[in-house]
Amino acid sequence: MRVMVIVKANKDSEAGVMPNEKILTAMGKFNEQLVKAGVMLAGDGLHPSSKGKRVRFSGGKQTVIDGPFAETKELIAGYWLWQVRSMEEAVEWLKRSPFDGGAEVEIRPVFEAEDFGAEFTPELREQEERLRKQIAEKK
Amino acid sequence: MTTTDTHRATDAVWRIESPRLIAGLTRIVRDVGVAEDLAQDALVAALEQWPKSGVPDNPGAWLMATAKHRAIDRLRRSQLLERKHEELGRELEVKEMTVPDLEGALDDNVGDDLLRLMFISCHPVLSTEARVALTLRLLGGLTTDEIARAFLVPEPTIAQRIVRAKRTLTDKHVPFEVPRRPDLAVRLSSVLEVVYLIFNEGYSATAGDDWMRPALCEDALRIGRILAELAPREAEVHGLVALMEIQASRSKARVGPSGEPILLFDQNRAHWDQLLIRRGLAALERAESLGGTHGPYTLQAAIAACHGRALTPEETDWLRIVQLYGQLAELMPSPVVELNRAVAVAMASGPAAGLALVDALTEEPSLKAYHLLPSVRGDLLRKIGRLDEARSEFERAASLTRNARERELLLNRARTCAGGS
């Protein structure tokens, strides 16, 4: 299974303060462990929300909102995509990470094909077909 | 925490820590079975202590230190210490006399231990089944129960297989080492074969409520990625990883809603996993950048990459695929590779050119019962309008396949040919 590991933003990350060398080194080591264990599929840090944008959809209207966004704790500062065998394994890996100082990191399982099951209706399938045709016509 | 929670947490810690732990311990006690027992003891100790004292900063080091203490206790208790010392002493003496390789003898590198563990798990003295089970157990960190479920066999069978494999390694005094050249190439290909076997076991199981089997592909990929980090200069390791990543990228697209297989050309490419394709292409680049003649896994990965890069079947670079199959045929001549090459030639230069190659294969004894030969031939005949012949080829293919869905598909094709003649 795959999980997304979501690192929440804090005052520093939102202010664009880069982590100090000690943290960077520790994080580098942790990432190396993940790669060596074949667990890490992808991962990136994100710029503060001041560089981000949001699009709000309402009643057929689309509004673009510029960052920064206020609710710091709900924002994300980075993510990983891991391949693990269970949520428990993901938790064990996360425990080995060098976070501290009240940081909160969230783990969420990624939907796999089998999770869709009966929800993958004929309508959805038809939509897929259309998408496929579009790709074919694009060339 | 409930018992199940604790149990699952234990499995998770085991999965993360056991390969390195067992590898390091095997170097000390020179016996995989004993090393595994010691690792398990250390884990039990951890599960008793960690909840009270907190997880140590470096759990791996804590476990290793604990296990080492127990190793010494155990050696003392069973009065093996003296004997082992003698053995070790003798071994070291012999080593020093013949090959003065102090660096190797004193080597304390975890990565090297893991690589050694990989080589003995896939050692040729073991049966293929035993290699697969032992590799999943020791390198993949799977429980015997997980392995049993993945291979649809009873748990005691797997447990016994693993016990016997460990005993064989002890009885045959299989050394815990990374083989040197020229043995290295052969031994490495045995490791790669085992990993790819695990992958295919998961990949070819398309139907049923067998949710464990995609996990088997993931396990193989994970072991492959670990191996790529351990032996970064071996091109074929990256080739195999590339091949598995790209093949795995199609897993969502290759099974229909009711479990029927979907062939490459008919797959919805929007369902291909672009992350895995990118990872596969990067691994392929690593393999190719290491130079030398490309091995069979690198070549197969390069072929898979041609498909992976094409957004539609029409965009496929068939000329390149023809060329790659040509190289693969030179490296490991096989009628099946030749048949694949014929299909690629037909796509690149037209059905008549492909048919000429396929016709040359019809007398091949090893393909007599291979349903894809008449199936491919029927397809090419149909394309050039020889419909009667095409129909009988499809019918023959239908009689040869063991898969009911495929038979239906082939008979359908046969019927469409009948209509046209």
Side-chain angles (χ1 to χ4, degrees), chain A residues 1-2 35-41 81 83-85 88-89 92-93 96 113 125 128 131-132 135-136 138-139, chain B residues 8 12-13 15-17 142 146 212 218-219 222 225-226 229 252 257 266 268 271 273 275-276 279 311-312 315:
Chain A
M1 67 181 291
R2 289 182 192 187
V35 170
K36 281 191 171 163
V39 166
M40 163 102 102
L41 292 178
L81 210 51
Q83 181 155 35
V84 289
R85 210 164 223 279
E88 288 79 9
E89 194 195 346
E92 282 303 322
W93 275 112
R96 286 156 172 71
R125 222 169 288 137
E128 290 287 348
L131 186 67
R132 194 175 157 190
I135 293 176
K138 206 191 75 185
K139 52 157 252 137
Chain B
R8 299 180 80 169
V13 176
R15 185 161 168 82
I16 295 172
E17 300 294 349
L142 268 68
E146 284 172 322
M212 275 300 290
E218 291 182 359
D219 287 323
R222 194 158 151 181
R225 290 178 193 136
I226 294 172
E229 291 297 315
K252 275 184 202 164
D266 303 325
N268 180 351
H271 280 169
D273 187 322
L275 174 65
L276 291 183
R279 292 183 58 92
L311 282 178
T312 62
E315 279 172 68

Side-chain angles (χ1 to χ4, degrees), chain A residues 120 127-136, chain B residues 249-250 252-253 264 266-275 277 308 310-313:
Chain A
F120 199 60
Q127 185 192 349
E128 290 287 348
E129 286 300 312
R130 275 204 304 275
L131 186 67
R132 194 175 157 190
K133 280 206 189 85
Q134 274 167 18
I135 293 176
Chain B
S249 78
R250 301 180 200 139
K252 275 184 202 164
L264 187 63
D266 303 325
Q267 287 173 13
N268 180 351
R269 296 187 179 210
H271 280 169
W272 286 2
D273 187 322
Q274 292 301 321
L275 174 65
I277 292 179
L311 282 178
T312 62

Side-chain angles (χ1 to χ4, degrees), chain A:
Chain A
M1 67 181 291
R2 289 182 192 187
V3 294
M4 180 168 270
V5 183
I6 303 161
V7 182
K8 298 292 175 72
N10 58 31
K11 261 202 327 236
D12 282 351
S13 73
E14 274 299 278
V17 178
M18 293 308 263
N20 64 38
E21 199 192 319
K22 199 178 143 211
I23 297 175
L24 281 179
T25 312
M27 206 50 93
K29 271 197 186 142
F30 179 57
N31 277 326
E32 202 180 305
Q33 277 181 36
L34 292 172
V35 170
K36 281 191 171 163
V39 166
M40 163 102 102
L41 292 178
D44 285 298
L46 305 180
H47 280 289
S49 73
S50 57
K51 296 193 179 174
K53 284 181 192 299
R54 282 180 179 173
V55 183
R56 181 174 294 149
F57 301 85
S58 176
K61 228 181 89 189
Q62 299 157 354
T63 323
V64 178
I65 308 152
D66 290 326
F69 308 115
E71 58 287 15
T72 304
K73 279 197 125 176
E74 303 302 318
L75 299 173
I76 67 173
Y79 74 94
W80 278 290
L81 210 51
W82 291 350
Q83 181 155 35
V84 289
R85 210 164 223 279
S86 62
M87 280 301 275
E88 288 79 9
E89 194 195 346
V91 169
E92 282 303 322
W93 275 112
L94 190 53
K95 282 184 186 166
R96 286 156 172 71
S97 69
F99 290 106
D100 201 358
E104 232 176 55
V105 184
E106 187 173 317
I107 310 170
R108 302 269 295 273
V110 174
F111 268 120
E112 305 285 350
E114 58 267 26
D115 293 326
F116 288 101
E119 302 300 314
F120 199 60
T121 58
E123 291 76 38
L124 275 172
R125 222 169 288 137
E126 198 187 319
Q127 185 192 349
E128 290 287 348
E129 286 300 312
R130 275 204 304 275
L131 186 67
R132 194 175 157 190
K133 280 206 189 85
Q134 274 167 18
I135 293 176
E137 280 157 14
K138 206 191 75 185
K139 52 157 252 137

Side-chain angles (χ1 to χ4, degrees), chain B residues 115-141:
Chain B
L115 194 54
R116 293 184 186 113
L117 190 62
M118 195 94 71
F119 276 110
I120 61 166
S121 298
C122 300
H123 197 280
V125 297
L126 303 172
S127 70
T128 307
E129 281 178 335
R131 290 181 214 174
V132 166
L134 203 58
T135 301
L136 282 170
R137 172 75 187 143
L138 299 182
L139 279 316

Side-chain angles (χ1 to χ4, degrees), chain B residues 51-84:
Chain B
K52 292 176 221 150
S53 60
V55 178
D57 285 344
N58 189 338
W62 189 98
L63 285 165
M64 183 57 99
T66 308
K68 273 185 186 167
H69 282 306
R70 278 165 197 249
I72 293 164
D73 281 353
R74 189 176 175 132
L75 287 168
R76 279 206 191 106
R77 236 192 352 259
S78 56
Q79 293 177 315
L80 267 169
L81 186 61
E82 223 174 324
R83 198 141 50 90
K84 278 282 172 186

Side-chain angles (χ1 to χ4, degrees), chain B residues 302-315:
Chain B
I303 293 167
C306 287
H307 296 299
R309 287 191 195 100
L311 282 178
T312 62
E314 295 76 28
E315 279 172 68

